[in-house]
Amino acid sequence: MVKLITSFNNKTPIIHPDAFVDRSARIIGDVLIEERVSVWPMVVLRADTESIRIKKGSAILDLSLVEAPAKHPVTIEEETLISHRVVIHGAQVQKRVLIGIGAIVLDGAVISSGSIIAAGSVIAPGTRVPPNSLVMGMPGKIVRETTEKERDFILEQICELLTKARQYKTKEGVSG
């Protein structure tokens, strides 16, 4: 199977050779994927209007959508975990953040370092989540500060995914 990587408006995705991109992922336009990033099955990264930047060591899990609409480029900073079936639409996600299963983060939102967005939460457009916040609900509300143990858990999960991504790359013999 051929990877689904598409240029758009003279912008071609750039994928570091060390990254793992599953064969079923769809990557369109002005996308930059740095080293040690993993992009899992059926992920869509659509940068046909603004840019998407996925920084070192981050992981985007199965069935997630990252889209960069007009005036809202997307950056997912280092060692961040975007869990299964997440939607990131025109938002900024800082380093060592966990976005839980099925969460939605909307245009202009900024999720600061060390934060956790609980599964199923919705982050309204323009929301600024302070560092080390645990956010839950629809709309998302800060319920408390994350603990050191929770912040360490994010990095542990990223390390496990990096190990697994390397196994997939070895098995497939190419970048995904």
Side-chain angles (χ1 to χ4, degrees), residues 6-160:
T6 304
S7 296
F8 188 83
N9 280 344
N10 297 316
K11 299 285 186 173
T12 300
I14 298 170
I15 301 169
H16 191 281
D18 184 53
F20 167 72
V21 177
D22 185 80
R23 294 173 192 235
S24 65
R26 186 81 164 100
I27 302 172
I28 303 166
D30 190 6
V31 176
L32 173 66
I33 297 173
E34 293 187 354
E35 67 234 47
R36 299 187 327 272
V37 166
S38 57
V39 179
W40 295 89
M42 306 299 287
V43 167
V44 175
L45 305 177
R46 186 158 66 89
D48 54 8
T49 305
E50 296 287 347
S51 65
I52 295 173
R53 302 292 178 252
I54 314 296
K55 301 292 186 165
K56 298 175 187 173
S58 289
I60 304 175
L61 299 186
D62 315 55
L63 302 170
S64 291
L65 165 67
V66 179
E67 182 181 354
K71 301 180 184 173
H72 293 287
V74 173
T75 300
I76 297 171
E77 291 187 12
E78 294 86 357
E79 298 173 332
T80 286
L81 176 54
I82 307 299
S83 199
H84 307 276
R85 209 176 40 81
V86 166
V87 175
I88 304 289
H89 194 272
Q92 303 294 310
V93 183
Q94 294 181 353
K95 66 183 179 179
R96 292 196 180 169
V97 165
L98 169 62
I99 309 290
I101 294 171
I104 300 172
V105 183
L106 296 170
D107 298 359
V110 176
I111 312 300
S112 295
S113 297
S115 294
I116 296 174
I117 306 302
S121 297
V122 176
I123 306 302
T127 299
R128 304 254 182 228
V129 173
N132 304 322
S133 297
L134 175 60
V135 179
M136 298 177 142
M138 291 188 275
K141 303 275 188 219
I142 298 169
V143 297
R144 63 173 171 79
E145 190 169 301
T146 56
T147 65
E148 186 175 339
K149 185 176 180 180
E150 289 167 329
R151 292 187 298 273
D152 288 345
F153 175 77
I154 296 169
L155 189 55
E156 289 169 16
Q157 291 299 298
I158 286 295
C159 289
E160 286 181 25

